[in-house]
């Protein structure tokens, strides 16, 4: 690596980029950081990630409003997203034709990313109907810990103390925002456990996504990985015994299907698509913290749409999340 290369990111990114790669997913830290030296790119990427998190915040609300079960909703979420993702992918392919050298399609990583995202949707959607919207989102967004833990296991490197302080404050705020449900509501423990498992699938998915964004566009990655995830989600739906179509209630098609349409178009194409774009502009460890905006937005939407209680402590927790995200980004 040339000596003149300088990075302004946290110590873990710098040191990780100087050691041999032990696992394929860890390449995200070695290659992606090379394109993150542009402050303007990081600034724009931050807003892109925030917009993506805002779109994804609609997901738990829509799953609860869906006329289908959680697994069937995940299947249709991907199905409705694929047409737009295919157009996005074709546009990227047309632009890439002018390049002299095109990288080989990372089929292994695409299949892995699709499988991880299918696991994420299966456990997250199942948790949403078994616990509160804020709880499901908080526990499923422990991804900064997963990302850093994976890095530590493979490189023995840790982020700076300032970064951890910001992450800790954001997680503390998210815990306050969740209302302490894991400790005070035993009936929700199954849903909370599934949500926590989601953070593992999602953290590894984000690492795979970040690695591929070094060479490929967000639309291409989203289309092929969503195809894999859709097939797996269909299998999970059939195994779970959930009906593929909603019951005939005499309502119009749009009256029944609109929550799933929002899942596919806004949460999947808009939300996950913007995250994929942002992960090509912002370092992975910072991007995973920015996603913690979701519990704040979900708590607000849950209060507005589902009439879930939002106490002053939870409001203060939301403020702590925002401060923690700012601290972690500043440290990075």
């Amino acid at each position: 690596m040339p000596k003149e290369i300088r990075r302004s990111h946290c110590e873990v990114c710098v040191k990780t980029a100087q050691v041999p790669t032990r696992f394929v997913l860890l390449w995200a830290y070695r290659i992606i950081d090379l394109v993150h030296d542009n402050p303007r790119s990081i600034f724009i990427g931050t807003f892109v990630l925030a917009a993506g998190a805002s779109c994804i915040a609609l997901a738990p609300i829509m799953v609860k409003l869906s006329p289908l079960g959680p697994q069937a909703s995940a299947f249709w979420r991907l199905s409705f997203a694929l047409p737009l993702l295919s157009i996005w992918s074709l546009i990227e392919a047309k632009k890439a034709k002018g390049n002299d050298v095109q990288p080989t399609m990372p089929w292994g990583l695409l299949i892995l990313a699709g499988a991880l995202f299918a696991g994420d949707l299966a456990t997250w959607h199942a948790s949403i109907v078994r616990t509160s919207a804020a709880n499901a989102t908080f526990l499923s967004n422990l991804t900064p810990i997963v990302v850093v833990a994976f890095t530590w296991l493979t490189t023995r490197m840790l982020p700076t103390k300032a970064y951890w302080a910001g992450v800790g404050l954001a997680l503390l705020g998210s815990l306050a925002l969740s209302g302490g449900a894991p400790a005070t509501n035993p009936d929700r423990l199954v849903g909370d456990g599934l949500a926590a498992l989601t953070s593992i699938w999602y953290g590894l998915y984000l690492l795979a996504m970040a690695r591929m964004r070094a060479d490929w566009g967000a639309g291409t990655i989203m289309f092929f990985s969503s195809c894999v995830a859709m097939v797996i989600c269909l299998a999970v739906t059939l195994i779970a015994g959930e009906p593929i179509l909603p019951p005939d209630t005499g309502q119009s098609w749009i009256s029944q299907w609109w929550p799933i349409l929002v899942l596919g178009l806004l949460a999947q194409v808009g939300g996950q698509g913007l995250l994929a774009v942002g992960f090509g502009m912002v370092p992975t460890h910072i991007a995973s913290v920015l996603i913690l905006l979701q519990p704040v937005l979900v708590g607000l939407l849950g209060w507005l749409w589902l009439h879930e209680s939002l106490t002053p402590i939870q409001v203060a927790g939301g403020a702590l999340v925002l401060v923690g995200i700012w601290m972690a980004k500043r440290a990075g």
Side-chain angles (χ1 to χ4, degrees):
M1 179 177 297
K3 294 182 179 179
E4 61 270 15
I5 293 180
R6 296 291 184 269
R7 297 176 176 81
S8 60
H9 309 314
C10 73
E11 183 180 353
V12 64
C13 291
V14 176
K15 292 185 177 180
T16 305
Q18 296 173 345
V19 299
T21 304
R22 300 184 187 180
F23 296 92
V24 173
L25 290 181
L26 194 59
W27 291 350
Y29 279 94
R30 297 189 54 177
I31 298 179
I32 294 298
D33 279 341
L34 292 175
V35 298
H36 287 156
D37 290 321
N38 188 343
R40 183 173 180 272
S41 175
I42 296 177
F43 179 78
I44 296 174
T46 298
F47 282 96
V48 170
L49 289 168
S54 300
C55 292
I56 295 175
L58 294 168
I61 310 298
M62 295 302 107
V63 171
K64 288 197 171 188
L65 295 175
S66 172
L68 294 170
Q71 306 308 325
S73 296
F75 164 71
W76 283 110
R77 163 182 175 161
L78 295 166
S79 299
F80 284 131
L82 282 180
L84 287 180
L85 291 176
S86 66
I87 296 174
W88 188 359
S89 177
L90 289 173
I91 293 174
E92 290 183 345
K94 185 176 180 180
K95 291 181 178 180
K97 284 185 177 180
N99 298 337
D100 295 332
V101 179
Q102 293 187 6
T104 304
M105 185 69 75
W107 293 113
L109 273 178
L110 286 170
I111 294 173
L112 176 61
L116 291 171
F117 191 68
D120 164 74
L121 288 182
T123 53
W124 189 31
H125 281 206
S127 72
I128 289 170
V129 297
R130 291 173 173 84
T131 186
S132 68
N135 245 44
T137 306
F138 160 65
L139 292 171
S140 65
N141 278 283
L142 298 175
T143 48
I145 296 177
V146 175
V147 169
V148 175
F150 184 83
T151 306
W152 180 82
L153 287 173
T154 53
T155 68
R156 303 303 178 186
M157 302 297 178
L158 290 174
T160 62
K161 293 180 180 179
Y163 171 84
W164 273 119
V167 171
L169 189 62
L171 291 177
L172 180 63
S174 296
L175 184 60
L177 184 62
S178 72
T184 58
N185 295 278
D187 293 339
R188 293 177 174 175
L189 286 178
V190 174
D192 294 334
L194 289 171
L197 179 60
T198 300
S199 66
I200 299 177
W201 301 130
Y202 199 50
L204 296 177
Y205 165 76
L206 293 179
L207 285 170
M209 178 69 69
R211 166 63 187 94
M212 290 185 287
R213 283 290 285 118
D215 300 313
W216 291 93
T220 302
I221 297 170
M222 287 293 300
F223 173 71
F224 287 107
S225 62
S226 294
C227 286
V228 174
M230 184 190 68
V231 174
I232 296 176
C233 285
L234 176 60
V236 173
T237 301
L238 296 176
I239 293 173
E242 294 184 7
I244 297 294
L245 298 175
D248 186 7
T249 60
Q251 294 178 301
S252 64
W253 186 88
I254 193 66
S255 297
Q256 283 192 299
W257 285 89
W258 76 266
I260 303 176
L261 284 171
V262 173
L263 275 175
L265 302 182
L266 286 182
Q268 187 64 24
V269 178
Q272 294 295 339
L274 287 173
L275 287 189
V277 173
F279 266 79
M281 306 170 74
V282 179
T284 310
H285 65 288
I286 296 298
S288 63
V289 178
L290 288 170
I291 295 174
L292 286 176
L293 284 171
Q294 291 181 43
V296 179
L297 298 170
V298 170
L300 179 61
L301 290 174
W303 174 66
L304 290 173
W305 283 4
L306 302 181
H307 305 292
E308 294 182 346
S309 61
L310 198 59
T311 66
I313 293 179
Q314 290 175 302
V315 174
L320 286 178
V321 171
L322 299 178
V323 174
I325 291 173
W326 175 81
M327 288 176 59
K329 185 178 181 299
R330 183 180 176 85

